[in-house]
Amino acid sequence: MTAIPPYMQYWGKAKKDSDSKGADYHLLPYHCLDVAAVGKLLLDANRPLTNDIAKFLDISSEELQSVFLFFLALHDLGKFSSAFQALYQSNSPDLLQVGRCKPYDGQFYRHDRLGLYFWNDIEKQGLMNALSLKNLQREELYHTKQAVRVLVDVVLGHHGQPVNSEAMRSIKPFTEKVNGIAAMSFFEAIFELLKPVFPITKMQSDPWRERLKQVSWQLAGIAVLADWIGSDSSYFCYQSEAQPLHEYWEKTQSIAVEALNSTDLNKAPIVAPFISIKKHYGFDPTPLQRWAETVHVDDSPQLFILEDITGAGKTEAALALTHRLMQKGAADGFYFGLPTMATSNAMFSRVAQHYQQMLSVDEGKVSIVLAHGARDMNDMFREAVLSSDNPDTEYDANDITATAQCNHWLSDSRKKALLAPVGVGTIDQALLAVLPRRHQSLRLIGLNRKVLIFDEVHAADEFMFELLESLLSMHFHQGGSVILLTATLSFKQRSRLVNIWQQAAGVLSQAPKSRAFPLATRVAPDLLCPLLEQPLASRIDVTREIGVRFLHTFDACVAKVMESVTNQQCVVWVRNSVDDALEAYQVLQQQLDHTDDCLLFHSRFILQDRKSTEDKVLSIFGKNSDARSRAGKVLIATQVFQESLDADADVLISDICPIDDLIQRAGRLHRHTRNDQGLYCRDIIDERDSPVLWIHSPEWDDAPSSDWLSQQFRNTQYVYRSPGRLWLGLRELIALGAVRMPTDARQLIEAVYSDAAYEQIPDSLLNQENTLIGEERSKAAKAHSQLIDWQYGYRDRSAFAWHDDDSDISTRYSDIETVEVLLLKRDLSGSLIPYADGTKFAIQLSTLKLSKNKYADKLQAIPENEEDAFKVRFRKTKYLQCWLPDEDSHFSYDSKSGFVEKNKRKLL
């Protein structure tokens, strides 16, 4: 009778419900082979990603697959520890009877970290024998072991972040001697079973190891995915009876095919031929779109910067370029990153109408995911299928299972959007790929072979620009392409973006020269044409002149609104802070005959009410509105208006703001060309009176005092912090007397943001400007300090500290700490329920973000026993602050005004 190997005495997965069908536990060797079988498919020799990595490492795809799946089979070495084995209580005589050891510590000594302890012993003995390394010179042996260690770090870090490699001796108390024997025996058995082919000669090369470190980030993402799918017990049924490894290996490889085919991860999209803008979108192309459908593209990593005014068709131009890049084999999908969640809502609808003309799969529709919970799903699209949700036993309070991690991560659609072939969301989800946050590698692998499209890139501050620089560089090295869209990019910003791409490509830097607008720029690793700058015309119906006039008091603005209402016009007043917007809204509510004719739109609404308000705004101010629905309507809004809505005002008032924001706001004035019936018609001359932008600003002063802005515009100064740049913008607008688009766009931007413009800021405002410059540099330094240091590869040394996925490591700098607040109400029985109860996404739709110090810390607390009971019922609310507005004496909430401070409401 054949003796059972020692490694067969160890469990790897266990059922959460012992009464359910099947075996109670899954033997550790079999789980390891399940994951290796999935990894073999994810790194199939015919996959583009496999070929890209293999080519980069100068080895065959088969060699890469062979070596990686061997190490994947060792990903759970740490589970051989007695401390881990003691977590599952079983009466089975076939499992290890744990002796004396330190109890399992899921916070500081997780099983992934324990695996490194066993590997260190294997490296000293088993590795030397398996790879016949004894005859190597000392230096050759060192380099070989270091190369192997890169791969070991990758697979041991399969829970989303590198393992802690410090204080290995402190791990010993969690183990027994028999554990090491079993781990060594398993290593030898797996080596014999899989017979990996190691490129030993290449592994002895220092430059080759550096290349391996570079691709270790992608391999780490594959390891996470393989572990997630290989842990799905709906396919990989638990087996507690010992079976020869070679027999189980044959079986699990077939199961892995079925498991992977049940997800969208094994379905390579089919790219439809690109024909023309006219064919795909149903209208003649704008000059920018015509360039996008004709410019030379290939399968190399390329950067495109598309600069044109609002309404020039940049989105369709970007989608056309993306379509052509995919057709050339440069990408398999795309991610559209927007500056805010509200803008991603609007963009999702536009992309959803067209993406099926670009991509398909054998079964039908390609997955598209919107990167937040508040989306209306319909037959046009479906969510990406990535795993089932069969649970298994939690290991420890601080060490959740792969299945639980998978379900938790994928339940957040912001993250899922990165893995779907087509994703629309905020730019932040992409930027997190360069920060040391759990599952960073998964984000990175999700962006691999995708075109990244980022809109309104000019809005990035120094903090975000630093992160963007790292992401662009990494994406270039992944072979990806990027399309950046903007209406107001400065020459300095464009030069910096071009330089980032050229440095990543390692080509001789060629500085941009053209100051034309509109402008299309292409940057490629092409020795003959590394930089292409193409001046363009703009669409005729968005080429226009907007008059500029000024209002210097609050009362004058209110009077202009009331005059517009009397004239049966629709009017928008964009204010710079929520408090300012509330003030204007409440004053106008008292003066209007019909209070429902005035809407308020700002960031302090829960998502349900924000979406409802968006729909109302678009029904009145949107493209399909008519003169009757628009007549006498008023919208008081903050910056979210210019960021998110395809709206069109007859009259527009804007508080003084940075010139690029002002151009964006002006783009909502007579945005849709209308006939004498007030109906939108494409390619006509607008029948309304010539557009006028009314700017609410301080009186002009050639020699302003230091409080020129703050004296009457305190909130504006607090938001923008640069009275000098606002003064420069105002000076240029007064000199021009009108804004002629696109003719004046570049002149306006450079008059404010160029180095020469800085020299013209009045001395009285210069100290404030220099303070802001110092703050911006400090932001950039802080962002740089948080970035992953790619040179170390996927290991703990690559960052000062790694953070959990729910921790607050942000892609945006703010000196105002914010908190996600969940609004609650009571049902008829008095129980707490989400404010937006009765909807599919009740939790997401009931949240808003508030300043921690100014508001969240002052909200009336809910009785602890009630809040605890609520969070038990709604587990996704664990990290949210709960608030019951109906029982707060200081703050209130309603669907028309949003979050309001009661005392301030009375004062206003």
Side-chain angles (χ1 to χ4, degrees):
M1 183 175 181
T2 306
I4 296 178
Y7 53 77
M8 286 296 186
Q9 296 179 300
Y10 293 76
W11 66 275
K13 311 286 290 183
K15 285 195 305 190
K16 200 167 190 175
D17 181 8
S18 60
D19 293 331
S20 59
K21 294 181 180 179
D24 288 339
Y25 60 87
H26 195 37
L27 286 172
L28 178 56
Y30 300 152
H31 167 64
C32 290
L33 288 178
D34 295 339
V35 173
V38 174
K40 182 179 181 182
L41 296 174
L42 290 175
L43 215 58
D44 184 85
N46 294 317
R47 282 182 171 244
L49 174 60
T50 311
N51 292 326
D52 289 345
I53 295 175
K55 183 178 180 181
F56 186 73
L57 295 175
D58 193 25
I59 60 176
S60 69
S61 296
E62 290 75 16
E63 280 181 298
L64 174 63
Q65 182 195 56
S66 167
V67 172
F68 189 66
L69 75 91
F70 166 71
F71 282 105
L72 263 183
L74 304 176
H75 77 282
D76 263 348
L77 278 177
K79 290 183 179 180
F80 280 107
S81 65
S82 284
F84 181 87
Q85 290 297 308
L87 293 175
Y88 175 64
Q89 302 299 321
S90 172
N91 296 323
S92 172
D94 297 328
L95 290 181
L96 175 74
Q97 301 303 306
V98 175
R100 296 183 62 183
C101 68
K102 201 170 182 178
Y104 188 71
D105 180 351
Q107 183 172 4
F108 298 109
Y109 293 91
R110 291 163 43 98
H111 69 274
D112 46 1
R113 185 183 182 194
L114 300 181
L116 194 55
Y117 173 81
F118 291 119
W119 174 256
N120 286 341
D121 283 342
I122 291 171
E123 183 186 81
K124 295 171 186 174
Q125 302 172 39
L127 184 67
M128 295 286 289
N129 296 331
L131 299 186
S132 303
L133 302 179
K134 292 182 179 179
N135 295 326
L136 294 181
Q137 299 294 321
R138 176 177 294 183
E139 187 174 349
E140 294 172 337
L141 180 61
Y142 170 80
H143 286 307
T144 302
K145 285 184 175 181
Q146 288 298 303
V148 168
R149 176 60 187 273
V150 173
L151 294 168
V152 170
D153 284 330
V154 162
V155 298
L156 292 182
H158 62 275
H159 279 282
Q161 69 182 58
V163 295
N164 183 347
S165 61
E166 297 179 354
M168 283 292 103
R169 290 183 180 181
S170 63
I171 293 176
K172 187 174 182 179
F174 295 94
T175 70
E176 298 179 88
K177 186 175 182 181
V178 292
N179 303 156
I181 294 172
M184 180 68 75
S185 175
F186 180 63
F187 167 83
E188 293 168 347
I190 289 296
F191 193 92
E192 177 61 29
L193 173 69
L194 300 180
K195 296 180 172 56
V197 179
F198 282 77
I200 297 295
T201 303
K202 286 187 168 54
M203 292 168 69
Q204 296 168 19
S205 161
D206 205 24
W208 190 87
R209 187 174 77 252
E210 295 306 312
R211 284 178 165 259
L212 182 62
K213 287 179 182 178
Q214 193 169 319
V215 297
S216 66
W217 302 95
Q218 288 79 19
L219 294 174
I222 294 171
V224 174
L225 281 177
D227 186 50
W228 280 2
I229 298 168
S231 298
D232 190 343
S233 60
S234 61
Y235 291 96
F236 299 95
C237 299
Y238 288 179
Q239 181 165 327
S240 56
E241 294 184 8
Q243 176 184 9
L245 288 182
H246 70 274
E247 293 181 9
Y248 187 84
W249 177 237
E250 289 299 320
K251 179 175 73 172
T252 197
Q253 288 183 85
S254 300
I255 297 172
V257 173
E258 185 181 354
L260 199 57
N261 284 341
S262 71
T263 75
D264 285 347
L265 298 170
N266 203 36
K267 299 170 184 174
I270 301 167
V271 182
F274 175 81
I275 300 173
S276 67
I277 291 285
K278 178 74 172 178
K279 173 67 177 178
H280 295 303
Y281 298 96
F283 50 75
D284 292 327
T286 66
L288 176 65
Q289 292 164 355
R290 189 175 299 111
W291 181 85
E293 64 182 1
T294 57
V295 66
H296 171 75
V297 297
D298 53 40
D299 62 355
S300 68
Q302 297 151 83
L303 170 68
F304 298 89
I305 304 174
L306 308 184
E307 301 175 78
D308 207 341
I309 59 178
T310 301
K314 293 188 290 294
T315 297
E316 290 77 14
L319 291 175
L321 269 175
T322 298
H323 195 162
R324 296 181 62 216
L325 286 165
M326 292 190 296
Q327 189 175 5
K328 283 289 186 180
D332 299 323
F334 61 94
Y335 179 77
F336 215 125
L338 287 302
T340 66
M341 187 175 66
T343 49
S344 64
N345 266 336
M347 185 59 68
F348 186 57
S349 299
R350 296 175 69 181
V351 173
Q353 295 174 22
H354 299 292
Y355 82 103
Q356 292 179 48
Q357 298 181 48
M358 304 163 68
L359 294 168
S360 64
V361 291
D362 290 338
E363 291 83 358
K365 300 175 184 176
V366 169
S367 295
I368 178 172
V369 176
L370 175 61
H372 62 77
R375 62 248 192 246
D376 299 320
M377 307 305 292
N378 59 41
D379 292 337
M380 290 175 62
F381 42 83
R382 64 186 179 84
E383 292 222 45
V385 178
L386 297 167
S387 78
S388 73
D389 57 0
N390 284 14
D392 45 23
T393 298
E394 296 287 0
Y395 303 144
D396 180 88
N398 297 299
D399 185 6
I400 63 174
T401 64
T403 305
Q405 278 193 337
C406 176
N407 294 333
H408 176 73
W409 203 83
L410 296 179
S411 68
D412 187 338
S413 63
R414 293 172 298 177
K415 302 164 184 175
K416 193 191 298 184
L418 299 183
L419 292 176
V422 179
V424 180
T426 60
I427 186 175
D428 307 74
Q429 288 302 314
L431 292 174
L432 283 171
V434 300
L435 292 173
R437 185 162 167 169
R438 187 180 296 278
H439 298 127
Q440 161 274 336
S441 63
L442 207 57
R443 285 185 168 87
L444 203 60
I445 202 70
L447 296 177
N448 190 272
R449 292 194 59 77
K450 282 192 176 75
V451 177
L452 303 186
I453 309 171
F454 295 147
D455 197 9
E456 298 186 34
V457 68
H458 59 270
D461 63 8
E462 284 300 313
F463 187 90
M464 185 180 281
F465 228 103
E466 195 74 24
L467 304 185
L468 181 62
E469 182 171 346
S470 182
L471 178 62
L472 293 183
S473 179
M474 172 51 80
H475 199 59
F476 174 90
H477 289 298
Q478 287 198 127
S481 292
V482 177
I483 302 172
L484 304 176
L485 311 180
T486 176
T488 53
L489 194 69
S490 70
F491 181 79
K492 184 189 295 186
Q493 285 177 310
R494 183 164 64 92
S495 299
R496 182 175 174 183
L497 290 165
V498 168
N499 186 56
I500 290 168
W501 204 258
Q502 291 179 338
Q503 282 193 337
V507 299
L508 187 64
S509 180
Q510 183 175 332
K513 295 179 180 178
S514 178
R515 295 179 181 266
F517 185 90
L519 183 69
T521 303
R522 174 183 180 265
V523 190
D526 184 339
L527 295 178
L528 296 177
C529 186
L531 176 63
L532 171 66
E533 298 174 281
Q534 181 61 58
L536 299 166
S538 199
R539 203 172 96 198
I540 294 176
D541 57 342
V542 294
T543 302
R544 59 200 180 129
E545 180 176 313
I546 299 174
V548 176
R549 297 180 190 172
F550 303 92
L551 301 166
H552 299 304
T553 66
F554 176 86
D555 290 342
C557 293
V558 172
K560 173 52 65 176
V561 171
M562 296 304 296
E563 177 190 317
S564 302
V565 170
T566 301
N567 293 335
Q568 296 293 288
Q569 296 171 301
C570 63
V571 56
V572 176
W573 183 1
V574 186
R575 309 231 58 194
N576 292 333
S577 75
V578 176
D579 288 345
D580 288 343
L582 282 165
E583 177 189 20
Y585 176 73
Q586 289 163 16
V587 168
L588 286 165
Q589 287 279 298
Q590 296 170 3
Q591 297 195 23
L592 289 166
D593 293 334
H594 304 287
T595 57
D596 287 344
D597 286 346
C598 184
L599 299 175
L600 178 65
F601 187 48
H602 57 69
S603 60
R604 287 194 215 140
F605 284 100
I606 62 171
L607 209 50
Q608 181 185 53
D609 293 335
R610 181 165 173 165
K611 187 69 178 74
S612 175
T613 303
E614 276 187 29
D615 293 341
K616 290 177 184 176
V617 170
L618 290 176
S619 70
I620 297 169
F621 298 85
K623 181 180 289 186
N624 297 320
S625 60
D626 56 28
R628 184 177 178 182
S629 64
R630 296 163 65 86
K633 299 301 191 297
V634 180
L635 173 64
I636 306 300
T638 59
Q639 293 88 336
V640 293
F641 172 75
Q642 80 220 32
E643 293 170 347
S644 59
L645 297 177
D646 184 18
D648 165 33
D650 297 332
V651 177
L652 183 67
I653 305 170
S654 171
D655 287 356
I656 185 173
C657 63
I659 196 67
D660 46 337
D661 285 346
L662 197 66
I663 291 172
Q664 289 289 99
R665 294 178 187 183
R668 269 67 183 174
L669 178 61
H670 293 202
R671 178 181 178 91
H672 306 131
T673 49
R674 298 184 181 274
N675 62 21
D676 56 0
Q677 302 298 311
L679 297 173
Y680 167 72
C681 295
R682 185 182 173 90
D683 298 328
I684 67 166
I685 302 299
D686 200 299
E687 294 288 342
R688 290 172 287 189
D689 292 338
S690 298
V692 175
L693 174 63
W694 295 88
I695 300 175
H696 178 211
S697 71
E699 294 274 2
W700 173 252
D701 192 337
D702 284 321
S705 61
S706 60
D707 63 351
W708 169 77
L709 182 64
S710 61
Q711 190 173 25
Q712 294 184 38
F713 291 79
R714 184 183 62 180
N715 289 336
T716 293
Q717 169 123 0
Y718 181 76
V719 171
Y720 293 117
R721 305 186 189 187
S722 178
R725 301 287 181 182
L726 297 188
W727 184 89
L728 288 172
L730 194 60
R731 184 183 69 169
E732 194 68 17
L733 288 168
I734 292 171
L736 291 172
V739 176
R740 300 161 190 85
M741 300 299 287
T743 309
D744 294 342
R746 186 76 75 193
Q747 179 181 341
L748 284 166
I749 295 297
E750 297 305 320
V752 175
Y753 293 114
S754 68
D755 291 338
Y758 169 81
E759 301 296 334
Q760 299 177 46
I761 294 175
D763 291 342
S764 59
L765 304 178
L766 202 53
N767 284 340
Q768 296 170 77
E769 184 63 27
N770 289 336
T771 298
L772 180 63
I773 291 172
E775 290 173 354
E776 289 291 310
R777 289 173 179 169
S778 178
K779 288 180 187 180
K782 183 175 181 180
H784 188 78
S785 71
Q786 292 183 4
L787 287 170
I788 289 171
D789 193 340
W790 306 107
Q791 67 173 322
Y792 291 108
Y794 187 76
R795 63 178 309 178
D796 54 346
R797 291 177 61 194
S798 59
F800 178 74
W802 281 79
H803 305 267
D804 282 333
D805 214 20
D806 50 36
S807 65
D808 186 21
I809 176 171
S810 180
T811 60
R812 304 188 187 213
Y813 180 87
S814 176
D815 48 14
I816 303 173
E817 186 178 356
T818 58
V819 175
E820 290 279 350
V821 176
L822 172 64
L823 273 64
L824 305 179
K825 62 184 179 181
R826 295 190 185 276
D827 62 15
L828 294 177
S829 68
S831 297
L832 296 176
I833 56 175
Y835 201 88
D837 185 54
T839 62
K840 184 178 179 182
F841 303 104
I843 302 299
Q844 295 96 318
L845 292 172
S846 301
T847 59
L848 58 79
K849 188 173 288 188
L850 294 176
S851 164
K852 183 178 186 300
N853 295 330
K854 188 175 182 180
Y855 297 123
D857 287 348
K858 299 175 184 177
L859 298 177
Q860 189 161 315
I862 297 172
E864 190 173 343
N865 61 324
E866 287 194 273
E867 184 169 357
D868 290 345
F870 174 81
K871 290 193 172 184
V872 168
R873 286 164 45 220
F874 297 90
R875 295 189 178 277
K876 290 183 180 179
T877 65
K878 180 179 179 181
Y879 298 103
L880 299 176
Q881 177 177 336
C882 295
W883 177 48
L884 195 57
D886 292 343
E887 298 178 11
D888 195 313
S889 58
H890 300 291
F891 300 95
S892 66
Y893 181 87
D894 67 70
S895 60
K896 291 185 177 180
S897 297
F899 176 85
V900 178
E901 189 173 357
K902 288 183 178 179
N903 292 337
K904 185 166 287 189
R905 181 196 288 264
K906 291 177 183 177
L907 290 173
L908 295 174

